[in-house]
Amino acid sequence: SQQGEEDPQALSIQEGENATMNCSYKTSINNLQWYRQNSGRGLVHLILIRSNEREKHSGRLRVTLDTSKKSSSLLITASRAADTASYFCATELDYYGQNFVFGPGTRLSVLP
Amino acid sequence: EPEVTQTPSHQVTQMGQEVILRCVPISNHLYFYWYRQILGQKVEFLVSFYNNEISEKSEIFDDQFSVERPDGSNFTLKIRSTKLEDSAMYFCASSESTSGQSNEQFFGPGTRLTVL
């Protein structure tokens, strides 16, 4: 698998349900970040979690990081139709400095 | 709120032509980046730039690509002789530099490049 690989590739849920997306990576990281991309638009930063942190919250978003398993999860609670987008995890590798490696993304569809 | 801007939003060019994609990073940021995203694929790192020189580049960033900060505000990506496979969305990003820490990268809205 590639560095920063999300699963599932696509997720379809009903409004109000929770959505969980996972990201796995292969090498040591400084931090891991989650981004959202609405179709054809730019990337919007959601959350940054550092390698010494285990969990972070921001509004309806909850991110966990397990460095022993080299994995992270993004949970969106009480999803809304406006959450429909692609979600990417990006890992900042500790030997590359500030350059990110993006996964292929999870396409989330929230149905009204 | 400060933001990264990119122009044009869409560029159409003929194969073999030169294109310049422009970005205005956030004014107090010191690190600048270009990424590309081929339609339906993941975002790929191209190059990072700091203190008026390239600090890191990927294997995608070959001799056809160059970057420049021609003045205090613009950051440009030039593709010398475009190929069909250069068609993609190109994102500029910038981050504030703080010694010993990593920082959030702020992304622009992207320029869609179409090579015919």
Side-chain angles (χ1 to χ4, degrees):
Chain A
S1 65
Q2 302 170 52
Q3 179 77 3
E5 191 163 314
E6 297 92 341
D7 81 87
Q9 291 186 340
L11 179 62
S12 188
I13 59 173
Q14 295 290 325
E15 217 168 14
E17 293 180 339
N18 296 342
T20 300
M21 289 159 273
N22 302 297
C23 170
S24 60
Y25 57 92
K26 297 174 77 174
T27 61
S28 297
I29 60 172
N30 279 339
N31 64 61
L32 185 146
Q33 305 189 24
W34 284 91
Y35 287 82
R36 183 184 71 220
Q37 184 184 37
N38 290 73
S39 181
R41 308 279 295 276
L43 292 151
V44 175
H45 183 263
L46 297 176
I47 288 186
L48 179 154
I49 186 164
R50 301 194 190 283
S51 58
N52 61 352
E53 297 175 312
R54 292 297 165 257
E55 189 171 308
K56 279 189 96 166
H57 297 255
S58 176
R60 293 183 296 113
L61 306 180
R62 174 176 165 250
V63 167
T64 62
L65 179 64
D66 187 335
T67 53
S68 66
K69 295 180 179 176
K70 292 188 169 55
S71 68
S72 172
S73 68
L74 170 67
L75 168 68
I76 304 174
T77 60
S79 63
R80 305 167 183 165
D83 295 329
T84 295
S86 289
Y87 291 82
F88 295 87
C89 72
T91 50
E92 183 183 300
L93 308 182
D94 61 6
Y95 55 88
Y96 271 146
Q98 296 208 7
N99 307 323
F100 290 161
V101 178
F102 283 83
T106 292
R107 272 193 323 281
L108 174 67
S109 298
V110 181
L111 307 173
Chain B
E1 190 174 325
E3 58 183 14
V4 177
T5 59
Q6 291 184 242
T7 54
S9 57
H10 192 188
Q11 173 88 47
V12 181
T13 189
Q14 294 289 327
M15 192 169 60
Q17 295 293 307
E18 173 184 286
V19 294
I20 297 176
L21 310 182
R22 300 180 196 280
C23 169
V24 179
I26 294 173
S27 62
N28 65 330
H29 285 187
L30 299 177
Y31 283 82
F32 314 113
Y33 314 82
W34 283 101
Y35 295 83
R36 79 170 186 194
Q37 186 181 29
I38 295 170
L39 186 65
Q41 298 187 25
K42 63 180 183 179
V43 178
E44 299 172 291
F45 167 73
L46 293 179
V47 66
S48 60
F49 191 85
Y50 170 70
N51 199 26
N52 281 321
E53 60 183 28
I54 291 173
S55 49
E56 195 72 40
K57 60 182 181 178
S58 72
E59 62 274 11
I60 301 169
F61 194 87
D62 61 21
D63 292 343
Q64 292 298 311
F65 291 88
S66 62
V67 288
E68 195 178 31
R69 189 153 163 81
D71 52 45
S73 59
N74 288 284
F75 178 52
T76 62
L77 174 69
K78 182 193 292 186
I79 308 174
R80 255 180 278 282
S81 177
T82 50
K83 303 188 275 281
L84 294 176
E85 53 265 37
D86 293 327
S87 294
M89 194 78 144
Y90 288 81
F91 292 101
C92 172
S94 69
S95 66
E96 187 178 3
S97 172
T98 302
S99 178
Q101 295 183 11
S102 51
N103 288 275
E104 173 190 344
Q105 292 188 14
F106 290 79
F107 284 80
T111 292
R112 182 171 298 286
L113 176 65
T114 301
V115 182
L116 303 175

